[in-house]
Amino acid sequence: PSQSGCSIEDISSAGERLQWKLQCTAPIPAEGTGETFYSGTSFTGTAVMRTDMAGMKLEVATRYSGRRTGDCH
């Protein structure tokens, strides 16, 4: 789905691994990649976003993790 000028592309999964690419056109053009690994009731992952702001290249890398805490209500 597209939100705020961004769209997720090239989603692929194999086993416990999910990968994707992100392309944004507004408000600042940017592109990124990410992957998530699932294991039982937990997950870990990384995402990297890249952009060029006024001639200055910027890269932001994020690591994340989480776990299931119970049933949804």
Side-chain angles (χ1 to χ4, degrees), residues 51-66:
T51 189
D52 187 337
M53 295 175 50
M56 180 175 59
K57 295 195 181 297
L58 177 65
E59 181 174 288
V60 177
T62 304
R63 290 184 190 177
Y64 52 87
S65 63

Side-chain angles (χ1 to χ4, degrees), residues 1-9 21-32 49:
S2 180
Q3 182 177 350
S4 300
C6 296
S7 61
I8 297 175
E9 305 168 350
K21 292 182 182 177
L22 182 67
Q23 189 71 40
C24 298
T25 57
I28 299 170
E31 62 181 34
M49 291 295 295

